[in-house]
Every structure is written in C-alpha cells, then in structure tokens.
Amino acid sequence: MQYRKARELREMFIKFWEEKGAKHLESFSLVPEDPSLLFTIAGMVPLKPYYLGIKEPEYPRVVTCQKCVRTNDIENVGRTARHHTFFEMLGNFSWGSYFKHEAITWAWEFLTERIGLDPERLYATIYLDDDEAFNVWNKEVGLPAEKIYRFGQDDNYWFMGETGPCGPCSEIYYDRGEKYSCGKETCGVGCDCDRYMEIWNLVFTQFDRQKDGSLPLLPHKNIDTGMGLERLASVIQEVDTDYETDLFTPLIEHTCKRAGITYGNNPRDDMAVRVIADHVRSVVFMMADGVLPLNDGMGYVLRRLLRRAVRFGKLLNFDGLFLNEYVPILIDIMGNPYRELITQRPVIEQIINLEEEKFNKTLKQGTELFDEEISHLKAQGINQIPGDVIFTLYDTYGFPPELTQEMAEEQNFTLDKEGFKAAMNEQRERARASSKQKKSALAGDIYTELENENGATKFTGYEKFTDGGKVLALINSDGRIDTITGPAEFEIVLDVTPFYPERGGEVGDTGTIKINNLSLKVLNTTPHGKIIVHSVKLETEGKISVNDEAICLVDNERRKAIRRNHTATHLLHEALGRVLGRHVRQAGSLVADEFLRFDFTHHSPVTDEEIAETEKIINAEILANVEVDISEHSKHEAQALGAKALFDEKYGDVVRVVNVPDFSMELCGGLHVKRTGDIGGFKILREENIGSGTRRILATTGMNILTILQKLFALRNSLTALLATDEDNLKDKAQTLIDDMKTMRSQIQAAKLRELLENSEKFLEREEINGVLFQVGRFADIPANMLRDIGDKARARPEANVVILSSRNTEDNSCQIVVMADDKAVNMGVNAGALVKEACAVLGGKGGGRKNVAQGGGREGEKLEQALNGVREQIKSQVK
C-alpha cells in the first residue's frame, strides 16, 4: 500500500467516479437549504430532494467531496481517535442509473486496485436478508462468506425518516491489525475497539416506506455512499488516529511548538492539542461559508467551538491571541480545492480576532465567579464544588471541566462530577427536544410540482418592465384551483413575467397584472425554486382561470428607485473596503425603493470622518457617470475576473457579473442602473452595531435625499427660531442649555441627598440577626450613587451591621439594590455580593460585587419585599 496525501486521495476518488460517468459537483455550502438542519451533516444532504422525488436530478450520476459539520458529540472531540466536528465526506450517488452490482464492485475496485488496500484485510457487512448484496460480494467480488457479516436494522438499514425512501446498506471494514484489538475473544467486525474500522457505507435506497410499515419499490433504485476522507487517510498513511494524518499534523505541530510540548507525552496536553486542531478547522470553514458568531443557531455553535479552542489554549498556557496563527496553516493544507478559505481570509481573521478578545474578558469574569464560589464554600466548610456551579462555569463562561478541576485542585477542592453530568444531561435533553437538526420529511409542495410540470418561469425583467404571459396556476389557501372569482387575494404563476422576485436582499417588484379586462394589484413577487410567484389582490368582481392570457405592468418608478439603491449598495461595499480595510465583507443587505440597508463585517464603530470619506468616494463615482457593464460568465470565469461572491448567495454554473469599470465587480442577479449617474446621489443616514463584529449602514439615493434635506432644513429653521439664534451658533446655544440643565439637576440631586442624609435615621428599619444589625431602606427614583452615600453613613456604627437600600423606578417599576457591610459583619460571614446576587435573581435581574459592597437590580420591583425576606434568611445562614 502506497503512502498518499489526503489531497491526492480526494482527487483520486473524484477522478475514479468521473471515469464511471459521474458528474463532479463541488462541495455545497455548510449552510444547508433544508431548514430543519443547522449544518450540512452528510454528503447526501444537498441532494436529498432527488431521493425524495421533489426534483429531477440534472445528472444521473454524481460524485462529491462534501464539507460537513456535526456537533452532536462535541465533548468527545479530542478524547477519541475519530471524533470531529468538521470533516470531509467522499460520496458517489446514482438515481436510477446504477445499483448494487456497480456500487459494490466499483467500490472494491477503487479500494483495492486504485489505492492499494490489501483485499485480505477487507470485510463487508450487509442487511440480514440482503442476499443480492451477499451474492455480489461473494460471487462477483470474491469475498469469502466468512468475511461477510449479516446485521440487523439498527446497523445495516437506512431510513430518511418515518416514511419515505429507505433501503439496506453495506459497510466496508478494514482490519488495522492485532495491535489495535481490544483483546477480547469476541473482537471482530462491529466491535467498538479500533481494530476493525468502517471506512465506507454503501446505501441502496430502493423502497418507499409507508405509514403502515409497508415497503413498495421506488420508481428508481438509487445509490448513496459516504466515506470519511480523514478516516481513509489514516488507513492509507498507516497512523493510529485521524489526527496524525497530513490533514491535521501541521496544525498539531504548530500547537506543540507554541506550547513547548511533545505530542504523545501527556494525555491531557494531547487532548488540548487535538481540540484546537479540530475546532480551528470548523471555525474557519464556517466563517468562509458566511456563518457569523451569534447567540443562537449556527452562530452559537461557531462561537462555542471558537471559545472551546481558546479555553484549551489556556490549558496549554497560551498567552494573548493565538487562533489566527492557524489560518494560513489551514489555507496551505486545504486552500486547494476550497478557495473560499483564501477569498474570505480577511474577514475570517478579523472576526476571529474580535471574538477571541471578547472571550478573554469572559474568561476573566468566570475566574472571578470561581474565586467567589470557593470563598463562599470555604466559609461553609465545604470542599467540593457543586455540579451546577461547574456547569455554569462551563456553559456560561466557557470553562471546560478540566480547567475547573485544575483550579479546584490548587485550592484542595474536588468536583461534584455526578452533579455536573446530571446538569449536562438535562441540557442535552432540552437541546434534543428543541433541536433544529431533526430529520426533515421535505415533502413536495405546490411550487415544486409546478416546476416539475412546467420548468422554470421565464424572467424578462432585465430588459422589460411590461410583458405578456399565460396563467399556469392559481393558488389560494385551499391549494391549486382552476378558477377564482373576485374580490380575492391569491397567488398567480405565469409562464413569462417581467416582475423581479425578492432575492439577494432586493425586494420583489409590485405593479399590475391585467387579465380579462380585470386589474390585479401585485403586492409582492417571490421565488420558489425556479418558479416566480406573484401575490395579488383582485379588488373587483370578476373571474380568472388557468390558461388565461395576462399583461404584466411593473411599477417602473418604484423599480427605478430600487435599481438606484442596488447599484449604490455595490459602490458602498467597495468604498467601505477602501476606507476601513479589505477585511470588510457584506454580511447581509436589504434593497428597497426608499432606502438601502447594508450589513458588513467590521470591528469598531465607523467614525464621522470615515463616513464622510465613504460618501465622498461614492458620490465621485456617481458624478463620473460611468456605464455599468452587466455580463454572464461561468462561475470560474467570473472568479478569474476578480468578481466578489457574497456570503449568503447561492450561484449556479452561469452567473451575472455587475461591473462598474475600475471600481467594483460583483456577482449579482439583481436589477441595476445603466450608468452610475442614474443613482443621482448617495447619503448615509445611520451607522450602528448589530452584533459581534457586524455593523449596519442605512443609506438612500436619488430623490429620497431631497426629501430628507427638505425635512432637515425645516427642522433647522424651526430650531434657530425657537432658540433665537442663527445656524452658526445653533450647536453652541443648544450645548449651553444642556449644560445649564445638568447643573440644575446636580444641584437638585445634591439638595435631595443632603435631606436624605440628614434624615436617614427615619428612613431605615432595623433589626438584629444573629448579632448583626440589619438595616433596610426603601426609596423611590434614587440613583445608585446616592444609595451608596446613604449606605456609607448608615453602616458607620459601632456594632456589626449590614445595610440594604433599594430604589424603585416609578415609571417602569424596575428596582436597584445596594448592599453594604462593615468589616465586623464580613468577619462574621456576611457576603454582600452573595446577598445582592440572590436578591436580584428574585427581582428578575442580576447583581454582584465584593463582600463589603455590592449592587444590582431587576425589572420586577413588585417582588422587592420577597427579595428582602430572602436576604434576611440568607444573613441567618451566612453569620456564624
């Protein structure tokens, strides 16, 4: 068996199946079209509609190397030889073209003849009663009967869901040798040890399972296979684990060099090294496909993996930011064939840097919580950290249990591992119940039926804003109907339309459709697959039927405004890159007639000077009145020209390139002006933060600018008249008024504070709790700094005492709390931080601080007395 790099294995697999007549499809995005899945988790996911009969495949045979992410078992990544979050799945697929005989014999040919696996070390498993597969393996391939294992439904039968395509499968195993055996007498194919490794699964989807459990045959017999590239590489390169293949070793070597360790010397260090290597791959590939760090969905998974990598870096004593060091290494390993790693590198590095900086601060906060809990437990004579605390450190602050254990051991503490496991299991159950990764039935719908019947809608809107067409379908809440009578709201599908469907951030066209002397108001236009659907309203009586002739009239004035804003969006994208840096990438957009909204990756607020420079660049390009060139190319040609491809767009083999010569070039299917001068002008209205590393600009063009300017001038005239000043002195006059108002407020507040301090005795209730004087004060609309001043005076007493002061906001019923304890009370066990934390939890908020001073608040001020009673009880338990 010849040593081969993973890149060579990938290329050999693709070439082999191309020779068998398969069409090579490049890897689909990690972001699947199937809304029931968070990520693309297998090679067949993007092809699922072909197995379900929703779409007819363009090619009967296909080969892919698909990027995949699975996150159902993150905790085991790094612990085992083959758990990964990101991996590549090699697959060959057939829809009614070839079946078991070819799938099995060709798989054997590839493994034994092309890449040279020893036939004597290969085994096969089949479904219990799949004699057809047995005969192919035994009689045609020549695999001895004793090397063919029959397993049941759990192991060798594949279902897409409760109903739908299904069928038996055959798995191919490789015997890695005696040294990998568990040593048990029962060790064999199917054993959990590392000796017999499954390397390829061949699925024969030939049945259509019904609700009653019956299995009628599908119209076509299909093939779906999957083989992990990482696993195959580990066999060919004869290494113990996937992490020792050339897909990982450069990443691992860098980590070891940075940490000053040798891989294989310390199990704990080895696990950290593997986690970093795995998670870096996932994080970078997710970002390359447009996933951004968020607090839910895909963004949450990305953020969790990035933070887990940082945490394990801390276990290796890494200082400062380090994740971006891996990006060029990963590009060197996988930039070919995944060019998105190269093109998106600036934004990937920008976001990683920002997220890592933020998480370092969170780690600091988690450490402070840990120290506080340790202190609290010591005061109670407890030397074990509870499971719920370990879980909070893990889930909220990102501490791995290994890090918590290391810190605990330094304090001579142990961990309640069973309690932690219970909390983790509860979280898994919650996640499982609400998981977005449930299997999808992906049942066909009206629109896919129409597409299969009639093909794609012919769109003529690039050249026209009026056109004629024929009614193909009428759709209302009952489904497809042949005739509809007005008044009514419904959907209409034509064979030809000039109405642009909403996509790529651009809103859909509106206007009028005339049928049988009736006028239908087009409310919106949307795409469904390759079908364009018009949402319409017929406000008069009348009848419309399928096959009627229609005349389409787009609202052209509205469309012109949309065109102006869309082309301006392209100019904005380029101008921001020039002003802020080439890390800027579009992260979302909305192009309407009155405004444009542009989301982009950037780490800090855009300054007034940067906004002014951006506007200057764009308006200069508008005044140049450059002709906008729009042409069609293959995707590869467009990339060679240097056209930008956007994160959230899905492109076909033929793409439209929108080129503003010597300025901007992007792939875009939207509507645009003919010359930049048609935009008229450009003005940024607002710039704001919308999430981690993502900013948003709201802008407008054309006559909309005049409307805004007229409003601003009217406002200016009103203000100058109201403040009795001119335009040049307007700002200074307003600032003087604001300063005067602040001074008056400060004076009023100071007077109020003096009164409260002078009379604080009558505002406080007092009682003794276990030798500590407990003082309570209730106020309204008092700021926290005033509460602290009152508290300082109240606790200046000879006896041990603790003061809790509250202030309810009379407008929104929120409540602020300040707790202060003197040194005597603290020495007796009082912890102001813990008291505030518990009280604020009752108030529906958060709080914390030191043992002698703490503050917080919540929105549920009506629960104040409940919170105060809780503080009383907690003081009783604190004071020893």
Side-chain angles (χ1 to χ4, degrees):
M1 183 169 60
Q2 179 183 343
Y3 176 93
R4 299 182 191 276
K5 291 185 175 182
R7 180 179 297 176
E8 185 181 0
L9 291 172
R10 188 191 297 120
E11 292 170 353
M12 289 178 68
F13 183 84
I14 293 168
K15 183 179 179 181
F16 176 83
W17 290 103
E18 283 181 326
E19 292 173 3
K20 301 299 183 184
K23 170 68 175 179
H24 173 221
L25 300 181
E26 292 183 3
S27 176
F28 294 84
S29 172
L30 284 170
V31 182
E33 292 188 4
D34 183 348
S36 70
L37 297 173
L38 271 182
F39 296 102
T40 299
I41 59 173
M44 67 82 60
V45 166
L47 309 171
K48 192 186 291 187
Y50 303 144
Y51 289 95
L52 291 163
I54 294 174
K55 291 183 179 180
E56 286 294 323
E58 190 174 353
Y59 310 100
R61 303 179 182 187
V62 160
V63 58
T64 66
C65 180
Q66 176 62 47
K67 301 177 292 187
C68 299
V69 165
R70 292 183 186 174
T71 58
N72 56 324
D73 209 5
I74 291 176
E75 288 76 20
N76 273 326
V77 172
R79 298 180 188 277
T80 69
R82 302 184 210 291
H83 268 98
H84 306 296
T85 52
F86 174 87
F87 61 96
E88 296 175 83
M89 185 173 284
L90 302 168
N92 57 283
F93 310 90
S94 168
W95 300 282
S97 178
Y98 62 83
F99 200 51
K100 288 184 188 178
H101 168 78
E102 294 86 353
I104 293 173
T105 57
W106 287 344
W108 183 263
E109 179 186 347
F110 176 75
L111 292 175
T112 59
E113 298 181 23
R114 288 297 175 94
I115 61 174
L117 291 186
D118 182 358
E120 296 300 318
R121 303 177 74 169
L122 291 173
Y123 295 76
T125 66
I126 59 173
Y127 183 56
L128 283 172
D129 61 3
D130 194 352
D131 294 332
E132 182 184 358
F134 177 88
N135 289 332
V136 176
W137 278 117
N138 182 240
K139 296 178 181 178
E140 299 186 46
V141 171
L143 196 64
E146 62 272 15
K147 298 183 74 176
I148 305 171
Y149 290 74
R150 294 180 184 263
F151 289 138
Q153 197 172 91
D154 290 344
D155 296 298
N156 277 81
Y157 209 96
W158 181 86
F159 297 96
M160 186 172 288
E162 293 183 3
T163 61
C166 62
C169 64
S170 179
E171 296 173 335
I172 303 174
Y173 282 77
Y174 180 78
D175 181 2
R176 303 175 68 219
E178 184 67 34
K179 73 173 183 175
Y180 295 103
S181 172
C182 59
K184 298 177 183 177
E185 291 184 6
T186 56
C187 184
V189 171
C191 183
D192 290 335
C193 72
D194 284 339
R195 176 170 180 175
Y196 297 93
M197 184 195 298
E198 178 206 333
I199 57 174
W200 205 345
N201 187 14
L202 316 177
V203 180
F204 315 123
T205 53
Q206 59 193 103
F207 301 111
D208 186 9
R209 185 160 73 163
Q210 306 298 302
K211 289 183 178 180
D212 61 4
S214 60
L215 297 170
L217 288 170
L218 288 167
H220 301 293
K221 295 180 178 180
N222 309 315
I223 292 294
D224 160 26
T225 84
M227 175 163 56
L229 177 61
E230 293 81 1
R231 188 170 290 200
L232 178 65
S234 72
V235 169
I236 297 298
Q237 295 174 15
E238 298 186 275
V239 292
D240 292 344
T241 73
D242 294 357
Y243 291 97
E244 291 158 52
T245 66
D246 66 322
L247 289 166
F248 288 92
T249 49
L251 300 169
I252 286 175
E253 288 169 358
H254 176 76
T255 306
C256 291
K257 182 179 179 181
R258 199 184 198 281
I261 60 176
T262 301
Y263 187 72
N265 281 0
N266 182 304
R268 194 201 72 159
D269 289 348
D270 290 351
M271 178 180 171
V273 169
R274 291 192 291 265
V275 168
I276 293 170
D278 174 272
H279 289 6
V280 161
R281 285 170 24 118
S282 291
V283 164
V284 174
F285 269 96
M286 285 183 197
M287 289 183 181
D289 278 353
V291 181
L292 298 175
L294 296 169
N295 290 326
D296 58 8
M298 294 181 291
Y300 173 78
V301 175
L302 168 61
R303 178 168 280 163
R304 182 183 176 193
L305 292 176
L306 187 149
R307 291 184 170 190
R308 196 167 188 258
V310 174
R311 294 196 312 261
F312 278 92
K314 300 302 179 186
L315 284 176
L316 296 174
N317 298 315
F318 284 2
D319 291 325
L321 308 181
F322 65 89
L323 286 183
N324 268 329
E325 298 171 11
Y326 294 90
V327 176
I329 301 171
L330 186 60
I331 287 175
D332 186 56
I333 301 169
M334 305 184 78
N336 178 15
Y338 302 112
R339 288 191 55 81
E340 60 269 27
L341 300 182
I342 301 170
T343 58
Q344 304 299 346
R345 177 176 175 177
V347 68
I348 291 168
E349 292 179 333
Q350 183 78 18
I351 297 171
I352 285 177
N353 189 70
L354 179 69
E355 279 293 304
E356 197 172 355
E357 280 183 339
K358 284 180 61 178
F359 183 52
N360 281 337
K361 295 176 183 176
T362 306
L363 275 175
K364 183 175 181 294
Q365 294 170 347
T367 303
E368 291 172 354
L369 172 67
F370 176 86
D371 293 341
E372 182 181 312
E373 291 293 341
I374 288 288
S375 176
H376 181 62
L377 292 168
K378 282 182 176 179
Q380 299 179 65
I382 301 172
N383 66 349
Q384 185 180 68
I385 299 177
D388 61 337
V389 174
I390 305 167
F391 178 76
T392 298
L393 286 167
Y394 170 78
D395 191 55
T396 304
Y397 296 96
F399 279 48
E402 295 82 4
L403 178 58
T404 304
Q405 180 164 342
E406 185 177 288
M407 295 167 66
E409 289 172 352
E410 292 173 357
Q411 301 283 343
N412 295 317
F413 271 66
T414 60
L415 302 187
D416 175 15
K417 294 183 178 180
E418 290 304 314
F420 172 69
K421 287 180 182 177
M424 284 291 294
N425 287 334
E426 287 178 14
Q427 186 203 48
R428 287 195 185 101
E429 287 302 318
R430 289 193 299 270
R432 195 172 291 122
S434 61
S435 174
K436 293 182 179 179
Q437 298 201 41
K438 294 175 182 175
K439 290 185 178 179
S440 168
L442 267 184
D445 56 26
I446 292 171
Y447 309 112
T448 52
E449 288 176 6
L450 283 168
E451 185 176 333
N452 287 335
E453 290 173 13
N454 304 289
T457 304
K458 182 180 179 182
F459 174 66
T460 61
Y462 290 134
E463 303 84 22
K464 302 177 179 180
F465 63 90
T466 65
D467 207 346
K470 184 174 71 172
V471 177
L472 295 180
L474 301 168
I475 304 165
N476 64 10
S477 57
D478 295 326
R480 292 176 67 174
I481 51 178
D482 293 330
T483 299
I484 196 161
T485 55
E489 286 192 29
F490 54 98
E491 293 179 339
I492 186 169
V493 178
L494 308 173
D495 61 342
V496 177
T497 182
F499 283 88
Y500 181 82
E502 179 179 340
R503 62 186 170 206
E506 181 177 330
V507 298
D509 275 332
T510 60
T512 304
I513 297 177
K514 292 185 178 292
I515 302 175
N516 300 334
N517 294 321
L518 298 172
S519 290
L520 283 66
K521 186 177 181 181
V522 179
L523 306 174
N524 196 13
T525 311
T526 55
H528 291 270
K530 296 180 181 179
I531 294 290
I532 296 176
V533 179
H534 312 81
S535 299
V536 300
K537 184 175 184 179
L538 176 57
E539 297 178 322
T540 61
E541 293 183 357
K543 185 172 71 172
I544 296 171
S545 301
V546 173
N547 294 323
D548 283 348
E549 295 297 325
I551 297 174
C552 301
L553 304 167
V554 173
D555 182 344
N556 200 34
E557 290 305 311
R558 179 177 180 272
R559 174 184 276 191
K560 286 177 181 178
I562 294 169
R563 286 179 184 268
R564 287 193 288 267
N565 283 332
H566 201 156
T567 308
T569 302
H570 286 220
L571 301 183
L572 175 61
H573 193 179
E574 174 61 26
L576 287 172
R578 295 185 182 188
V579 174
L580 304 179
R582 288 302 175 186
H583 61 273
V584 168
R585 287 292 184 277
Q586 180 173 330
S589 69
L590 174 63
V591 179
D593 53 333
E594 295 184 350
F595 66 92
L596 66 92
R597 190 183 72 208
F598 186 76
D599 302 339
F600 60 100
T601 53
H602 188 54
H603 61 284
S604 60
V606 184
T607 66
D608 291 342
E609 292 76 16
E610 289 168 336
I611 287 175
E613 180 62 21
T614 301
E615 290 177 333
K616 182 179 177 182
I617 291 172
I618 295 171
N619 281 295
E621 196 64 25
I622 291 171
L623 287 173
N625 198 24
V626 176
E627 184 177 355
V628 178
D629 175 58
I630 299 177
S631 56
E632 290 189 347
H633 300 271
S634 71
K635 189 162 58 174
H636 293 295
E637 288 172 345
Q639 289 172 340
L641 289 171
K644 292 178 186 174
L646 305 184
F647 272 162
D648 54 356
E649 287 283 348
K650 292 180 173 63
Y651 301 103
D653 292 333
V654 177
V655 295
R656 295 176 82 243
V657 176
V658 178
N659 180 26
V660 180
D662 301 321
F663 190 82
S664 165
M665 186 186 298
E666 291 187 13
L667 306 187
C668 182
L671 303 172
H672 290 273
V673 299
K674 294 182 178 179
R675 305 187 73 90
T676 57
D678 297 341
I679 297 172
F682 176 86
K683 178 61 184 172
I684 291 175
L685 306 176
R686 188 168 68 241
E687 189 274 341
E688 60 190 357
N689 175 48
I690 60 167
S692 178
T694 309
R695 311 291 302 179
R696 171 171 290 173
I697 279 178
L698 196 71
T700 193
T701 63
M703 293 298 289
N704 294 323
I705 297 175
L706 176 61
T707 302
I708 292 168
L709 285 174
Q710 289 172 334
K711 287 181 179 179
L712 289 174
F713 271 80
L715 178 62
R716 183 205 64 176
N717 294 337
S718 297
L719 289 174
T720 54
L722 184 65
L723 299 179
T725 187
D726 57 25
E727 180 182 351
D728 294 336
N729 295 309
L730 183 59
K731 180 179 178 182
D732 292 339
K733 186 67 177 281
Q735 188 62 55
T736 299
L737 289 173
I738 290 170
D739 293 342
D740 290 345
M741 188 162 46
K742 285 182 178 178
T743 301
M744 291 175 63
R745 283 178 176 170
S746 297
Q747 291 171 348
I748 293 170
Q749 197 173 77
K752 192 172 184 179
L753 177 60
R754 282 195 302 272
E755 181 186 357
L756 289 172
L757 289 174
E758 289 171 1
N759 300 284
S760 61
E761 293 294 317
K762 69 179 183 181
F763 291 117
L764 298 177
E765 296 177 0
R766 295 185 175 89
E767 64 179 289
E768 184 182 327
I769 301 177
N770 293 352
V772 173
L773 181 63
F774 180 44
Q775 304 182 79
V776 180
R778 303 171 183 82
F779 302 92
D781 300 322
I782 299 295
N785 63 313
M786 287 181 99
L787 293 178
R788 288 195 297 271
D789 289 337
I790 297 169
D792 280 333
K793 182 178 179 182
R795 69 172 173 173
R797 301 177 63 90
E799 65 266 60
N801 73 92
V802 57
V803 185
I804 179 165
L805 305 173
S806 64
S807 175
R808 288 178 69 173
N809 188 309
T810 53
E811 289 187 5
D812 62 11
N813 201 37
S814 63
C815 186
Q816 295 187 83
I817 285 184
V818 171
V819 178
M820 307 178 82
D822 69 355
D823 291 340
K824 293 176 184 177
V826 171
N827 290 335
M828 294 174 70
V830 172
N831 185 329
L835 294 175
V836 159
K837 183 179 179 182
E838 291 295 326
C840 291
V842 174
L843 297 171
K846 293 182 179 180
R850 303 188 302 277
K851 292 181 179 180
N852 58 341
V853 179
Q855 70 180 60
R859 295 187 175 278
E860 302 173 31
E862 69 276 5
K863 296 182 180 178
L864 175 60
E865 292 307 315
Q866 180 184 340
L868 294 176
N869 290 333
V871 170
R872 286 188 181 89
E873 295 304 315
Q874 198 173 1
I875 290 176
K876 291 178 184 179
S877 65
Q878 284 185 349
V879 176
K880 303 298 181 184

